[in-house]
Amino acid sequence: TFSGGTFLVFAAMFGLGFMGETRRLDYLYDTSWFPLLVVEEIGIGVYCLSLLFFVAMIFLSIRDRKKHPAAPDAWGTSRTLEWMTRTPVPFYNFAVTPHVNARDELAWRRQNGVADIAPDHYEAVHMPNNSLLPFMMGVMSFLFGFGMVWRIWWMAALGIVVTIALVIVHSFSNDPGYVLSAEDIERMEGRATPLSIVDETPAPAILDEVKVH
């Protein structure tokens, strides 16, 4: 519906432009434009319908998130490392640093029957502490860009000066972060669905020569 509505709207717009319709009108003085204007209105309706479907999808996903948990690989055919993390991706990303055997690691594991085997142990992970500085840098960078585009010079100057100042402050940060213990990781991984557990046991040497095409 989204693609169809978008096509109808913009195809009609292009046609009307070639026929001489301007961007802004207070009345319709050429009746030959009417058919394409109707097509454009239909396209807008289809487009709005697609937005309703999108909102409904979000609502159902939130409502039924426990009833229908998402697997890491929704299609069962993905090939690379990013599809090995569970959904939603935990804040520590991988429970254990992946042992990579091939370029298409997930496909390699699936081919060799080691895609869903749990690791025999977990290790502590060093994590950075949360900080507002990156978010503030993003806001100030946005103000700089907005000010430059619209020639609001005081806003652009404020944005770039504060951004540079925040970068300097962040560079002097001596925050040691914290350590997420192996026990905590194991407990959080234990609450995940079985399909979200990845195997980090080094594969037999004979399998290292397997190539995934």
Side-chain angles (χ1 to χ4, degrees):
T1 53
F2 175 82
S3 299
T6 302
F7 175 78
L8 289 176
V9 170
F10 286 96
M13 282 185 178
F14 278 117
L16 290 168
F18 282 121
M19 294 171 66
E21 184 191 30
T22 57
R23 292 181 62 186
R24 296 176 179 86
L25 294 173
D26 55 359
Y27 67 96
L28 184 63
Y29 59 84
D30 190 337
T31 56
S32 65
W33 298 342
F34 185 76
L36 284 180
L37 287 172
V38 172
V39 172
E40 188 175 342
E41 291 177 356
I42 293 173
I44 292 172
V46 175
Y47 180 83
C48 292
L49 183 63
S50 72
L51 294 181
L52 292 178
F53 287 151
F54 180 70
V55 172
M57 180 185 68
I58 294 176
F59 171 76
L60 292 174
S61 298
I62 295 174
R63 189 192 67 180
D64 300 335
R65 62 187 182 277
K66 294 183 179 179
K67 186 186 302 183
H68 304 292
D73 180 10
W75 301 273
T77 57
S78 301
R79 305 180 64 85
T80 48
L81 280 174
E82 65 268 23
W83 298 105
M84 290 171 54
T85 57
R86 57 188 171 92
T87 303
V89 179
F91 63 93
Y92 48 83
N93 291 331
F94 291 98
V96 179
T97 302
H99 178 85
V100 179
N101 301 278
R103 181 177 63 183
D104 293 339
E105 178 64 18
L106 181 55
W108 185 93
R109 294 183 182 212
R110 191 182 296 114
Q111 184 182 56
N112 292 284
V114 293
D116 301 320
I117 302 175
D120 56 2
H121 71 283
Y122 295 93
E123 296 179 356
V125 177
H126 180 263
M127 299 291 298
N129 285 316
N130 294 331
S131 173
L132 277 176
L133 286 178
F135 174 76
M136 294 169 64
M137 291 178 197
V139 172
M140 291 298 109
S141 298
F142 170 79
L143 291 180
F144 169 71
F146 189 88
M148 291 296 292
V149 169
W150 296 103
R151 300 182 181 181
I152 308 174
W153 305 123
W154 67 266
M155 182 183 294
L158 176 67
I160 190 63
V161 169
V162 176
T163 298
I164 293 174
L166 291 174
V167 170
I168 294 173
V169 171
H170 191 54
S171 67
F172 283 97
S173 175
N174 194 27
D175 187 354
Y178 67 97
V179 175
L180 185 64
S181 69
E183 292 76 16
D184 288 337
I185 295 177
E186 185 173 8
R187 185 176 66 255
M188 287 184 281
E189 288 294 309
R191 294 198 297 263
T193 59
L195 288 177
S196 69
I197 301 176
V198 298
D199 171 40
E200 299 310 330
T201 304
I206 190 173
L207 295 180
D208 288 338
E209 301 301 323
V210 176
K211 303 296 182 182
V212 179
H213 300 286

